[in-house]
């Protein structure tokens, strides 16, 4: 696709391309996609909402229960660090007796994120275990998978770029596919793959399609994305942001999962 056209008159140069000949070039490359950073509270809440539609307050309640049970670390943290002092070698050894995917661990030291917290490390499993059910089990296993994935190999991504030149106009299409899933075999992550066939010269334009579209407003916030926005703007704290959103719901100021202000809220 060429960039969006905002003036109708500019469309004239495309309308007569049918039947014209041009050249095509296919470029291929590979890149590595490292594992995501360890969970802090905000990324745990957004991840749980994306995968399980658990609201941030519910996720925090579950994480607090898991912490009091001694099976995860303190959840109210903004850190994305896994310090060696936590004894992650021993933790991995304990987890390996329960979870087969620990066999995919390749790194001796884990991937870490940029954020740190002077009081606490990131959220991680302690290696202790107890039987869990329902949402508690989902959140616990998500924390384990995120932790283990930090020790796994990068994923390898194949990228393809096709450039077609007709009448000195460039048209570009991009494709992406996974060559080696690496850490994606552990942590649930969906990449929007798009396969493209290789194209070589010469080419002939067989069809010209013009779409008319309207500029769309940004998506509404959901209970997880508003938490991320609060963090970016430094509003509230890691411990209070979920309760702020709950209060808005409880008082009837907002409704729906795509947050809308009610007449009372306005």
């Amino acid at each position: 696709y060429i960039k969006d056209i905002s003036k109708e008159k500019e469309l004239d140069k495309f309308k007569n391309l049918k039947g014209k000949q041009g050249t095509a070039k296919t470029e291929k490359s590979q890149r590595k996609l490292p594992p995501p950073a360890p969970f802090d509270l905000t990324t745990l809440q957004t991840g749980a909402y994306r995968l399980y539609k658990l609201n941030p307050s519910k996720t925090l309640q579950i994480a607090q229960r898991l912490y009091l049970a001694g099976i995860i670390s303190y959840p109210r943290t903004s850190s994305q660090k896994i310090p060696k002092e936590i004894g992650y070698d021993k933790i991995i050894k304990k987890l390996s007796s329960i979870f087969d995917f620990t066999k995919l661990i390749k790194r001796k030291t884990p991937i870490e994120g940029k954020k740190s917290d002077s009081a606490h490390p990131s959220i991680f499993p302690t290696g202790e275990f107890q039987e869990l059910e329902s949402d508690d089990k989902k959140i616990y296993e998500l924390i384990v998978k995120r932790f283990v994935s930090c020790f796994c190999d990068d994923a390898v991504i194949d990228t393809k770029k096709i450039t077609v030149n007709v009448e000195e106009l460039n048209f570009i299409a991009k494709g992406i596919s996974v060559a080696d899933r690496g850490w994606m075999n552990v942590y649930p992550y969906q990449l929007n793959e798009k396969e493209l066939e290789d194209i070589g010269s010469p080419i002939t334009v067989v069809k010209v399609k013009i779409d008319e579209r309207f500029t769309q407003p940004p998506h509404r916030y959901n209970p997880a994305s508003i938490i991320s926005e609060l963090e970016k703007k430094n509003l509230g704290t890691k411990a209070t942001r979920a309760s702020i959103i709950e209060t808005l719901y409880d008082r009837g100021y907002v409704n729906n999962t795509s947050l809308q202000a009610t007449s009372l809220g306005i």
Side-chain angles (χ1 to χ4, degrees):
Y1 292 92
I2 284 192
K3 65 179 181 179
D4 293 339
I5 303 301
S6 57
K7 295 181 181 179
E8 189 172 0
K9 191 174 180 180
E10 294 180 25
L11 293 173
D12 292 344
K13 57 189 174 185
F14 300 102
K15 291 178 179 177
N16 299 319
L17 292 181
K18 186 175 180 179
K20 300 287 187 181
Q21 286 200 324
T23 60
K25 179 173 67 173
T26 299
E27 300 173 86
K28 300 177 182 179
S29 61
Q30 275 193 339
R31 63 183 176 89
K32 291 187 176 182
L33 184 64
F39 275 140
D40 60 358
L41 179 57
T42 300
T43 51
L44 174 62
Q45 289 169 321
T46 54
Y49 187 83
R50 176 178 64 86
L51 291 166
Y52 309 125
K53 291 295 179 282
L54 291 173
N55 67 51
S57 181
K58 175 77 170 176
T59 299
L60 178 55
Q61 290 172 12
I62 293 171
Q64 189 70 19
R65 280 201 299 272
L66 299 176
Y67 166 66
L68 292 175
I71 58 178
I72 69 166
S73 62
Y74 188 67
R76 297 171 191 259
T77 176
S78 57
S79 174
Q80 295 178 324
K81 305 295 183 183
I82 305 178
K84 192 170 182 64
E85 288 76 13
I86 70 169
Y88 48 69
D89 290 339
K90 292 180 180 178
I91 293 172
I92 290 171
K93 188 175 181 180
K94 290 181 179 180
L95 293 175
S96 65
S97 64
I98 306 166
F99 300 101
D100 288 341
F101 52 74
T102 53
K103 295 175 182 176
L104 297 173
I105 288 175
K106 302 291 184 182
R107 299 177 191 267
K108 292 185 177 179
T109 56
I111 288 289
E112 294 184 315
K114 295 180 180 179
K115 294 193 293 182
S116 60
D117 186 324
S118 59
H120 305 284
S122 61
I123 302 172
F124 61 89
T126 62
E128 303 302 320
F129 186 74
Q130 67 181 49
E131 290 297 324
L132 299 168
E133 296 181 355
S134 190
D135 293 336
D136 287 33
K137 183 177 181 180
K138 289 178 182 177
I139 294 298
Y140 173 71
E141 291 187 353
L142 189 65
I143 291 169
V144 171
K145 289 176 180 178
R146 183 78 161 216
F147 174 75
V148 170
S149 72
C150 293
F151 294 86
C152 294
D153 279 344
D154 294 348
V156 179
I157 308 299
D158 284 333
T159 60
K160 186 182 291 187
K161 178 182 176 182
I162 298 176
T163 305
V164 172
N165 183 278
V166 183
E167 299 287 293
E168 298 186 355
L169 295 171
N170 281 328
F171 298 83
I172 296 172
K174 294 181 179 180
I176 187 171
S177 60
V178 180
D180 184 346
R181 293 188 60 80
W183 60 268
M184 292 183 189
N185 288 314
V186 175
Y187 185 77
Y189 183 87
Q190 187 63 45
L191 188 73
N192 293 324
E193 297 184 69
K194 182 181 179 182
E195 296 284 350
L196 291 176
E197 292 185 15
D198 294 359
I199 299 178
S201 296
I203 62 96
T204 302
V205 179
V206 296
K207 182 179 180 182
V208 176
K209 181 181 178 183
I210 296 172
D211 290 330
E212 183 178 3
R213 299 178 182 177
F214 296 92
T215 303
Q216 298 297 308
H219 292 297
R220 290 184 182 274
Y221 290 117
N222 62 45
S225 64
I226 190 68
I227 292 285
S228 295
E229 192 66 21
L230 290 174
E231 183 182 46
K232 289 176 187 176
K233 295 184 180 298
N234 202 27
L235 297 172
T237 69
K238 52 186 175 285
T240 63
R241 288 176 188 126
S243 62
I244 290 170
I245 307 307
E246 282 294 299
T247 300
L248 296 179
Y249 276 110
D250 292 343
R251 293 182 181 175
Y253 295 162
V254 298
N255 59 21
N256 297 331
T257 52
S258 293
L259 268 71
Q260 298 184 31
T262 63
S263 56
L264 173 63
I266 293 169

